[in-house]
Amino acid sequence: DGGITQSPKYLFRKEGQNVTLSCEQNLNHDAMYWYRQDPGQGLRLIYYSQIVNDFQKGDIAEGYSVSREKKESFPLTVTSAQKNPTAFYLCASSTRDRFQPQHFGDGTRLSIL
Amino acid sequence: SQQGEEDPQALSIQEGENATMNCSYKTSINNLQWYRQNSGRGLVHLILIRSNEREKHSGRLRVTLDTSKKSSSLLITASRAADTASYFCATVTFTGANNLFFGTGTRLTVIP
């Protein structure tokens, strides 16, 4: 089945530690996205990539980093510079057609130890 | 930045009733999309309406768009307990990347 896989489902971070969230898609989509969702809130865009080896900052990129070395993969690193990382992180992918929807993974919940 | 606001923030109805959710946005759009999110899960796309369309239907869903008022509504008819979820509107602009700007969402509870 085609889809997006996020792992792990739950992740815990210690103070001063970087953690990496995985996102893999087999939909052959060019574009991939990372969103952050806080309780009772909508989604805010962290980073996006429209093509391999290229990515752009979204609205809340500070304290995060990404890479796009393969079309299928778009990992997100939450660095120690992100002072409030506790949130639900969602990855999505789409074609570059504005009239096509984004497809979402089932998210990773990150908490601080 | 988040572009949309949704109203109401929470809605509780009996099974079989209709549910209406409203979304307002701030800038010109290419299209508006509605997504559903079950608790602790990812978002699922429901319906897309283009800026030159005024109404669209899909099964029990009816979406309207009023670009002069920069607003949209989602109607779910004959609701079921399985419709319990959060519903988000998201807009796509004409320029730049194909990014979605999400509203704050409406939490719908359908009581059996």
Side-chain angles (χ1 to χ4, degrees), chain A residues 48-95:
Chain A
Y48 64 97
S49 168
Q50 292 188 282
I51 198 166
V52 175
N53 292 323
D54 184 60
F55 49 84
Q56 305 295 328
K57 293 182 179 180
D59 297 323
I60 56 166
E62 187 173 349
Y64 301 98
S65 66
V66 293
S67 63
R68 187 83 189 277
E69 297 175 1
K70 297 187 300 181
K71 188 175 186 177
E72 303 79 21
S73 178
F74 192 40
L76 173 74
T77 297
V78 184
T79 75
S80 57
Q82 172 49 245
K83 297 307 179 189
N84 184 23
T86 298
F88 190 50
Y89 291 87
L90 286 159
C91 179
S93 71
S94 73
T95 69

Side-chain angles (χ1 to χ4, degrees), chain B residues 2-9 22-26 34 70-72 89 102-106:
Chain B
Q2 285 183 304
Q3 185 173 222
E5 294 284 338
E6 293 183 60
D7 170 57
Q9 289 188 340
N22 303 296
C23 166
S24 61
Y25 57 91
K26 298 175 185 173
W34 285 89
K70 292 186 169 58
S71 67
S72 174
C89 68
F102 282 89
T104 51
T106 293

Side-chain angles (χ1 to χ4, degrees), chain A residues 37 59 97-99 102 105-106, chain B residues 1 31 35 37 41 93 96:
Chain A
Q37 186 177 31
D59 297 323
D97 181 344
R98 290 181 191 280
F99 297 111
Q102 291 185 14
D106 267 342
Chain B
S1 60
N31 67 80
Y35 288 80
Q37 183 181 35
R41 303 294 299 274
T93 60

Side-chain angles (χ1 to χ4, degrees), chain A:
Chain A
D1 274 14
I4 297 183
T5 302
Q6 289 188 242
S7 63
K9 192 167 179 63
Y10 299 95
L11 188 58
F12 298 91
R13 195 191 89 169
K14 296 180 182 178
E15 293 287 340
Q17 186 182 46
N18 294 353
V19 292
T20 298
L21 284 61
S22 171
C23 178
E24 303 277 333
Q25 55 101 358
N26 61 5
L27 299 167
N28 199 33
H29 286 164
D30 285 317
M32 297 187 74
Y33 313 83
W34 274 106
Y35 295 93
R36 171 181 171 138
Q37 186 177 31
D38 292 285
Q41 299 294 313
L43 279 65
R44 293 184 289 168
L45 184 64
I46 305 172
Y47 269 98
Y48 64 97
S49 168
Q50 292 188 282
I51 198 166
V52 175
N53 292 323
D54 184 60
F55 49 84
Q56 305 295 328
K57 293 182 179 180
D59 297 323
I60 56 166
E62 187 173 349
Y64 301 98
S65 66
V66 293
S67 63
R68 187 83 189 277
E69 297 175 1
K70 297 187 300 181
K71 188 175 186 177
E72 303 79 21
S73 178
F74 192 40
L76 173 74
T77 297
V78 184
T79 75
S80 57
Q82 172 49 245
K83 297 307 179 189
N84 184 23
T86 298
F88 190 50
Y89 291 87
L90 286 159
C91 179
S93 71
S94 73
T95 69
R96 285 190 282 173
D97 181 344
R98 290 181 191 280
F99 297 111
Q100 293 300 313
Q102 291 185 14
H103 297 254
F104 284 80
D106 267 342
T108 293
R109 190 167 298 281
L110 176 61
S111 303
I112 299 302
L113 286 177

Side-chain angles (χ1 to χ4, degrees), chain B residues 1-73:
Chain B
S1 60
Q2 285 183 304
Q3 185 173 222
E5 294 284 338
E6 293 183 60
D7 170 57
Q9 289 188 340
L11 179 61
S12 185
I13 59 174
Q14 296 288 330
E15 201 165 31
E17 293 181 338
N18 295 342
T20 299
M21 290 159 258
N22 303 296
C23 166
S24 61
Y25 57 91
K26 298 175 185 173
T27 62
S28 295
I29 62 169
N30 176 281
N31 67 80
L32 184 144
Q33 303 176 30
W34 285 89
Y35 288 80
R36 165 195 169 123
Q37 183 181 35
N38 284 15
S39 183
R41 303 294 299 274
L43 276 69
V44 174
H45 179 258
L46 296 175
I47 195 166
L48 180 151
I49 186 165
R50 301 183 180 213
S51 60
N52 62 353
E53 296 176 315
R54 292 297 166 257
E55 188 170 312
K56 201 160 182 181
H57 297 254
S58 177
R60 294 185 294 114
L61 305 180
R62 172 179 169 248
V63 169
T64 62
L65 179 64
D66 186 336
T67 53
S68 66
K69 295 181 180 177
K70 292 186 169 58
S71 67
S72 174
S73 67

